[in-house]
Amino acid sequence: MSSSRDGRPRDPRRPARGPAPRGARPDRPRGQSARPRRPAGQEPPRRRPASRPRSGGGAPPAPPPLLRRRFRRGDSQRRLRMAVLMMAAVMLVFSGRLVYVQGINAATYAEKAAGSRMATIDIPTTRGSITDVDGNPFALSVEVRTVFVDPEEIRDDERDRVVSELSSRFDLDPDEVAEKVDAEPDRYKVVEHDVSPEDWKDLSDLGLQGVGAQKDYKRVYPEESGAADLVGFVGDDGSGLEGLEAVLDSTLAGRPGKQQVEMGATGTQIPMAGGYAEEPVPGKDVRLTLDQDVQWYAQQALAETAEELGALGGSVIAMRPTGEVVAMADYPTYDPTDIADSDAEDRKNGAVADVFEPGSTNKVITAAGALEEGVTTPETVYTVPFDMQVMDRTFKDSSFHDTERMTLNGIMAQSSNVGTIKVGQQLGAQGLYDYLTKFGFGRPTGLDLPGEEAGVLKHPDDWWGTQLASVSFGQSLSVTAMQMASVYATVANGGVRVEPTVVAGTEDEAGEFHPSEEPTRERVISEKTAEEVSLMLEAVTGEHGTAQQARIDGYRVAGKTGTANRVDPETGQYEKRSYTSMFVGFAPADDPELIVQAVLHNPQEKYYGGETAGPLFKDVMSFGLKTLKIPPTETEPPNIKLFEDE
């Protein structure tokens, strides 16, 4: 090792210090080693491990300096100051926001926070009742409770007792009740609907924490199936689905109230939280024209007769001459408290929905039109054979008889098809059609009930050669029971047709009654013609009439039988041995107060209207006269000439 000028040994790894040649870089500061450049792509040289000092060779060489970057003290201080400033700025922003939220705009944010967990729900209201003319209910709402549990409020030491009480009182599966009791974090689990207030009070008196109830209403029908097809029913949400419940839904429903409730973490409502409430407005009560006793009796009598005769169905209508319906029964029917046990056919209101050929009951229109037009009189005599040829068709009376000389009175009393055809020919196709429409055929009655049919009545321009004859005695057109009952009500009302009605009016919350609008009135025939037709109809129940079974002791009864072939809707042809049997009439005949229409579809045991529907008419009419306290007139019917030689 060579020595330096000052006599110290020179380290061969360090270059000799001296003047730097021109163009050379100055020495780097102590502690920094120069990094020689290397050609691009050349790998850096690997470091050799330091060799051990040789023994006996003097002092070991000094270790090479570490290759690290030296930081100046000033850099770290500047960074520290910057970090402090940034933290201060962030804290200042947060502080300002906190002051704004909790101080300046605290009320607004508090309101938003409360609103985020509050919701507005409807409070059930009382649905209006449907009553008869005297206020007896056909449908009403009763107050009930919906029992629920709040799992977070139920105490651990009462859990088993809560499950036991709820499951035993409401006949529920204990496991299902336990699942609701343990349903945290939910705050609202319904246990049972339609709990009576008395049953809820018994449960509430136990003081079980976390068990609550909400007020609700349940629709009940006290008369069961007495008027189900007319009244209808409501759905699970309380809205009307069928019958008058649907037609009058906006009147009956009222307006629900409003309540604010707190929403739980899972979005469930917490009724216990309470909140602001807007009082509900109850619905209006609807008063019908029906009499509950007559309605119930008509329904029972119809069902018994239909089942006894094996009929597919039927209907009974009782009404006033001025159009007010007193009863509207239908068979088959259903229980509105058990909708699942019925089908659409059971729930159909056949009195307005079933169409059929009116048969001989239609003869009253042919006779009334001919009398009104002056082409005949009650005692005009007609030659009436058993059968009659019209173009390519032969028409016959229902039972054989020799050719007879009958008056118009006799034609009606004997229900002669051939005689009625001759009267219809006098009136003419257009004239007959005009009176059919005046009496209400071919259009709805005005009741505005669900499923109501208008029937079928073609214009005379579309009638073929024999239709004037067939329409005259009730074939080649179709009607509903309500339409035909309205025809006889028109005759009973002195020739003035009044649109039928079942709604008398409404009653508000204060108990004030508001009558329905007056129905449309139209004179169809004169009072004289109505009286003449009434006498003809009274002869039907007389000694020589076809409906002696319909006579009622002490009362003068007017009416008409009807037996019509049933049409197969698929083929449009008459079904073999399938009939619709009818009887419609009014009493007292000289001062009518009540009209009854009885219809039986396809009775099996017997089918003539006089022997099937006649007794049903008598049964319901007798009960109606007694129940409505309609006294007999105590007058005797005049002698009516039926045949020329009388």
Side-chain angles (χ1 to χ4, degrees):
M1 179 182 294
S2 59
S3 299
S4 62
R5 291 181 180 180
D6 54 7
R8 289 180 294 181
R10 183 185 301 271
D11 188 346
R13 291 172 299 178
R14 296 175 58 92
R17 297 181 61 88
R22 182 174 299 179
R25 286 188 176 183
D27 291 339
R28 294 179 180 269
R30 181 174 299 179
Q32 290 183 338
S33 60
R35 293 183 180 179
R37 295 187 178 183
R38 63 178 179 267
Q42 181 178 346
E43 294 184 0
R46 298 182 180 179
R47 293 184 181 180
R48 291 184 177 181
S51 59
R52 295 181 180 179
R54 296 178 181 179
S55 59
L66 295 176
L67 298 178
R68 60 186 178 87
R69 184 178 180 182
R70 177 175 295 176
F71 293 94
R72 290 174 295 183
R73 182 175 298 175
D75 292 342
S76 60
Q77 291 178 350
R78 185 170 65 251
R79 285 182 172 82
L80 181 60
R81 285 195 298 269
M82 289 296 294
V84 171
L85 289 175
M86 290 177 66
M87 292 177 62
V90 171
M91 293 299 295
L92 183 61
V93 171
F94 286 164
S95 299
R97 185 64 177 170
L98 186 62
V99 171
Y100 177 77
V101 171
Q102 293 190 346
I104 300 175
N105 208 24
T108 301
Y109 279 91
E111 183 178 353
K112 289 182 178 180
S116 66
R117 66 177 187 272
M118 301 297 290
T120 301
I121 63 171
D122 288 340
I123 302 175
T125 186
T126 308
R127 187 176 178 85
S129 299
I130 300 177
T131 72
D132 78 344
V133 69
D134 296 320
N136 301 307
F138 285 113
L140 74 158
S141 295
V142 296
E143 186 176 312
V144 294
R145 297 291 185 271
T146 297
V147 177
F148 64 90
V149 293
D150 181 351
E152 288 193 9
E153 293 291 326
I154 295 176
R155 290 164 36 189
D156 292 340
D157 59 345
E158 286 189 341
R159 177 196 174 280
D160 293 342
R161 185 186 177 195
V162 169
V163 172
S164 176
E165 289 288 348
L166 294 177
S167 59
S168 61
R169 287 175 180 268
F170 303 133
D171 193 23
L172 301 174
D173 185 346
D175 292 337
E176 293 181 1
V177 175
E179 184 178 350
K180 294 178 180 181
V181 168
D182 298 333
E184 296 186 22
D186 284 349
R187 301 292 305 276
Y188 179 70
K189 285 291 186 181
V190 173
V191 176
E192 183 69 327
H193 294 281
D194 300 335
V195 177
S196 69
E198 295 77 16
D199 289 344
W200 162 243
K201 185 179 183 303
D202 291 343
L203 178 61
S204 179
D205 288 344
L206 299 178
L208 299 174
Q209 186 172 324
V211 180
Q214 286 178 289
K215 182 193 295 185
D216 205 345
Y217 297 94
K218 176 185 178 182
R219 199 66 165 171
V220 296
Y221 301 90
E223 290 304 305
E224 297 180 348
S225 60
D229 298 79
L230 174 63
V231 173
F233 58 90
V234 300
D236 292 337
D237 61 352
S239 60
L241 294 183
E242 290 191 15
L244 292 175
E245 290 275 31
V247 173
L248 304 173
D249 188 60
S250 60
T251 301
L252 295 165
R255 188 177 71 247
K258 302 292 182 182
Q259 181 182 19
Q260 286 184 323
V261 296
E262 188 172 354
M263 303 300 294
T266 61
T268 56
Q269 301 168 2
I270 309 174
M272 290 179 177
Y276 169 80
E278 176 184 332
E279 290 298 323
V281 177
K284 295 179 180 179
D285 293 341
V286 173
R287 186 185 301 177
L288 304 182
T289 59
L290 273 63
D291 181 279
Q292 191 177 80
D293 291 336
V294 179
Q295 173 68 39
W296 182 87
Y297 191 88
Q299 182 64 50
Q300 300 305 311
L302 171 62
E304 290 176 6
T305 302
E307 291 171 2
E308 178 185 346
L309 298 177
L312 291 178
S315 60
V316 170
I317 297 171
M319 64 186 298
R320 302 278 190 178
T322 48
E324 298 92 344
V325 177
V326 177
M328 184 180 289
D330 194 55
Y331 178 87
T333 187
Y334 67 101
D335 183 351
T337 63
D338 188 13
I339 303 302
D341 194 38
S342 66
D343 56 29
E345 188 67 23
D346 296 332
R347 300 192 296 269
K348 180 180 64 175
N349 186 356
V352 296
D354 287 334
V355 294
F356 51 89
E357 290 192 345
S360 294
T361 59
N362 191 63
K363 293 173 181 175
V364 68
I365 299 179
T366 304
L371 289 169
E372 188 70 15
E373 293 300 315
V375 299
T376 189
T377 68
E379 296 189 356
T380 298
V381 178
Y382 295 83
T383 299
V384 183
F386 166 66
D387 57 23
M388 178 179 180
Q389 186 76 23
V390 179
M391 300 187 71
D392 62 344
R393 183 177 175 187
T394 300
F395 294 93
K396 301 178 181 180
D397 284 343
S398 59
S399 59
F400 178 79
H401 62 83
D402 294 328
T403 299
E404 296 176 308
R405 296 278 289 171
M406 294 183 183
T407 65
L408 181 58
N409 291 330
I411 290 172
M412 291 293 292
Q414 295 290 306
S415 192
S416 170
N417 296 335
V418 173
T420 306
I421 291 173
K422 292 192 172 187
V423 177
Q425 289 174 334
Q426 288 180 284
L427 181 58
Q430 187 62 52
L432 179 56
Y433 174 82
D434 290 343
Y435 279 96
L436 291 169
T437 56
K438 288 179 181 179
F439 273 100
F441 287 0
R443 67 179 188 269
T445 61
L447 285 173
D448 193 28
L449 293 176
E452 182 174 5
E453 294 286 344
V456 177
L457 176 61
K458 295 180 180 180
H459 192 273
D461 292 344
D462 298 322
W463 291 4
W464 57 84
T466 61
Q467 277 205 291
L468 172 58
S470 59
V471 171
S472 296
F473 65 89
Q475 288 185 348
S476 302
L477 75 163
S478 65
V479 299
T480 65
M482 191 67 246
Q483 286 175 321
M484 187 52 70
S486 178
V487 170
Y488 283 74
T490 299
V491 174
N493 197 40
V496 177
R497 182 181 185 274
V498 183
E499 277 192 350
T501 181
V502 294
V503 179
T506 60
E507 188 173 315
D508 60 24
E509 189 177 2
E512 184 177 355
F513 179 71
H514 304 274
S516 299
E517 294 183 2
E518 286 292 322
T520 301
R521 299 171 181 268
E522 177 187 4
R523 178 163 290 281
V524 178
I525 55 177
S526 67
E527 188 172 355
K528 178 185 176 183
T529 299
E531 291 176 356
E532 292 173 340
V533 172
S534 294
L535 288 174
M536 294 178 190
L537 294 174
E538 191 172 1
V540 174
T541 63
E543 182 180 354
H544 300 287
T546 58
Q548 297 180 36
Q549 302 95 324
R551 300 171 71 171
I552 299 174
D553 292 340
Y555 288 87
R556 293 173 58 180
V557 178
K560 188 70 188 75
T561 58
T563 306
N565 296 91
R566 287 168 53 85
V567 177
D568 187 337
E570 295 183 1
T571 64
Q573 303 296 318
Y574 289 119
E575 297 179 352
K576 293 182 178 180
R577 294 181 294 278
S578 181
Y579 302 92
T580 297
S581 306
M582 296 155 276
F583 192 95
V584 55
F586 48 84
D590 57 331
D591 187 16
E593 292 285 344
L594 189 64
I595 296 93
V596 171
Q597 160 92 59
V599 180
L600 294 168
H601 297 296
N602 199 24
Q604 298 298 303
E605 299 298 324
K606 43 192 174 182
Y607 60 87
Y608 282 115
E611 60 183 356
T612 55
L616 176 59
F617 162 88
K618 177 181 179 178
D619 193 9
V620 176
M621 176 64 83
S622 299
F623 183 85
L625 292 171
K626 179 180 179 180
T627 302
L628 301 177
K629 297 180 172 58
I630 299 173
T633 56
E634 298 182 352
T635 60
E636 294 295 328
N639 290 324
I640 300 176
K641 186 177 181 180
L642 304 182
F643 299 93
E644 182 181 32
D645 56 358
E646 289 184 351

